[in-house]
Amino acid sequence: MEESYIKKVMSLGILVVLLVLSFFILKPILLSIILGFILAFIFSPVYSLLLKWTKSPNFSATSICVVLITLLILPIWFFAPIILEQSFKIYLSAQQMDFVVVLKKVFPSLFSSDQFSAEIGSTIKSFISNIADSVVNAVVNLITNFPSFMLQILVVLFTFFFVLRDGDNLVEYIKSLLPFPKEVEKKLFASSREITKSVLYGQVILGIIQGIVAGIGFFIFGVPNAWVLTLLALIAGVLPIIGPMLISLPVVVYLILADNNFAAIGVFIFGIIASNIDNLLRPLIVSRRSELHPSLVLIGMIGGVFFFGVLGLILGPLILAYLLIVLEVFRDRKSSAEGGGISAQ
């Protein structure tokens, strides 16, 4: 008995040591691996359609990898210098612009006090400068750390390929490790799939579409530094409750102050269209029963960004959602057990 106990403890100790060492080995590329899983989930419907047509898992997965490389590399290659240049222009403009005059012109009654106007103007100036500075630093870091970035992309593509091709086997392996009955496993995976779809398609993909629509308005009506504003609209579109109007409204105010009322009306209309795309497309993409509450998504995104960086916009809500799913499973099991105990009496 004692010898058996010692063997179990040693086996558990070896497992813990290997898990810890594996974590430190994978830690530098962990987010890239997770991103590969997320992209595989997003592209899995396309892979399934292509597989039905080609009957070849390798060819189907390779074809989608080529598409993904194109979607990842080409925009970075072409747009990074443009965004860098326009971010620098915004930074210089923010340093030169007198926001106190702008505030008093737009809201004369609210900013009648010179001291209050100066403080708010200084805050806005600092905020815009910091955003532009962050974008510039991000692009510069991307260029200076390009070899490291390419290795991370390689890990993403490697993970993406094999998860696409062998996803069913991976799911079965994960199921074999879970300590739940078959019925609970089935419910757990079904709920996780629906919630993941809700976050990725209903929040991220739709948010990107909203940002693109707002960005089209910036380009059509000749808004200065439209590339950077479109990038900000994409980010704002992904955030629940906020939306791309957060970027469109200041642009509208700027155009009005520049006496370009026609462009201001056009950008405002595109901002309204972008904000309402969510109401039209979400019911077609995401089942209502699998939608997450916007406050939960927003809290998850904010916390995720602090912990994971940009990828936390996706990982934060997913982790909170999976926690709620597991808690729900345990609650159902506890309710069933209590019900069984009562009926037995």
Side-chain angles (χ1 to χ4, degrees):
M1 182 70 180
E2 185 177 343
E3 184 179 349
S4 175
Y5 176 76
I6 292 173
K7 286 183 178 180
K8 287 182 179 179
V9 171
M10 289 183 64
S11 300
L12 182 61
I14 292 172
L15 177 62
V16 170
V17 170
L18 290 175
L19 285 173
V20 171
L21 291 176
S22 298
F23 170 76
F24 282 109
I25 291 171
L26 296 176
K27 185 180 178 182
I29 57 172
L30 188 58
L31 291 180
S32 298
I33 294 173
I34 294 172
L35 181 58
F37 273 86
I38 292 171
L39 290 172
F41 184 90
I42 292 173
F43 282 89
S44 58
V46 181
Y47 171 77
S48 299
L49 290 174
L50 192 59
L51 183 60
K52 288 181 181 178
W53 180 60
T54 62
K55 308 297 182 183
S56 171
N58 285 323
F59 178 78
S60 301
T62 302
S63 301
I64 297 177
C65 275
V66 172
V67 172
L68 182 63
I69 291 172
T70 305
L71 292 175
L72 287 176
I73 301 299
L74 288 184
I76 293 173
W77 182 266
F78 286 110
F79 299 141
I82 298 173
I83 292 174
L84 179 63
E85 179 187 357
Q86 293 190 0
S87 299
F88 190 65
K89 287 181 179 178
I90 292 174
Y91 178 81
L92 292 178
S93 299
Q95 298 299 316
Q96 298 170 359
M97 185 177 293
D98 189 351
F99 287 98
V100 175
V101 175
V102 175
L103 291 172
K104 286 189 173 184
K105 186 175 181 180
V106 178
F107 307 104
S109 59
L110 183 61
F111 293 96
S112 57
S113 169
D114 291 337
Q115 184 178 358
F116 179 69
S117 301
E119 290 179 0
I120 299 299
S122 176
T123 302
I124 295 174
K125 181 177 181 179
S126 177
F127 176 72
I128 295 176
S129 299
N130 287 337
I131 290 178
D133 192 43
S134 298
V135 174
V136 170
N137 288 335
V139 176
V140 169
N141 289 334
L142 179 64
I143 295 172
T144 55
N145 298 316
F146 192 72
S148 175
F149 173 74
M150 290 305 299
L151 287 176
Q152 297 285 358
I153 290 293
L154 184 63
V155 173
V156 171
L157 293 173
F158 183 83
T159 307
F160 176 73
F161 175 85
F162 285 103
V163 172
L164 265 186
R165 195 191 68 176
D166 305 321
D168 293 337
N169 295 332
L170 180 62
V171 169
E172 291 302 320
Y173 177 73
I174 294 173
K175 285 182 178 180
S176 69
L177 297 176
L178 294 176
F180 302 119
K182 293 294 181 183
E183 292 183 2
V184 174
E185 282 181 6
K186 187 176 180 181
K187 179 181 177 182
L188 186 64
F189 272 82
S191 300
S192 300
R193 189 179 296 110
E194 289 299 320
I195 289 295
T196 305
K197 188 185 298 183
S198 173
V199 173
L200 294 181
Y201 296 136
Q203 197 63 50
V204 178
I205 302 299
L206 278 181
I208 291 173
I209 293 173
Q210 288 179 297
I212 290 173
V213 172
I216 291 172
F218 299 151
F219 282 100
I220 289 177
F221 295 99
V223 176
N225 305 311
W227 283 111
V228 175
L229 293 172
T230 301
L231 178 63
L232 295 176
L234 290 174
I235 297 172
V238 171
L239 297 174
I241 304 171
I242 298 174
M245 281 301 289
L246 180 69
I247 308 301
S248 295
L249 285 178
V251 173
V252 169
V253 172
Y254 165 80
L255 292 171
I256 292 174
L257 292 174
D259 293 326
N260 194 347
N261 294 329
F262 176 73
I265 294 171
V267 169
F268 182 75
I269 291 173
F270 269 87
I272 294 293
I273 295 172
S275 298
N276 284 279
I277 282 178
D278 178 77
N279 299 327
L280 296 173
L281 296 183
R282 185 182 293 273
L284 301 176
I285 298 174
V286 179
S287 171
R288 184 171 294 276
R289 60 187 174 83
S290 65
E291 285 191 43
L292 288 173
H293 195 280
S295 60
L296 179 68
V297 177
L298 184 61
I299 290 171
M301 285 182 171
I302 294 172
V305 167
F306 281 117
F307 193 77
F308 296 107
V310 176
L311 197 55
L313 289 172
I314 299 174
L315 291 181
L318 284 178
I319 290 172
L320 291 183
Y322 295 157
L323 172 63
L324 292 178
I325 292 171
V326 173
L327 290 176
E328 187 68 22
V329 167
F330 278 109
R331 190 183 72 168
D332 290 346
R333 291 183 68 186
K334 182 180 178 182
S335 299
S336 300
E338 289 176 352
I342 293 170
S343 61
Q345 291 174 353

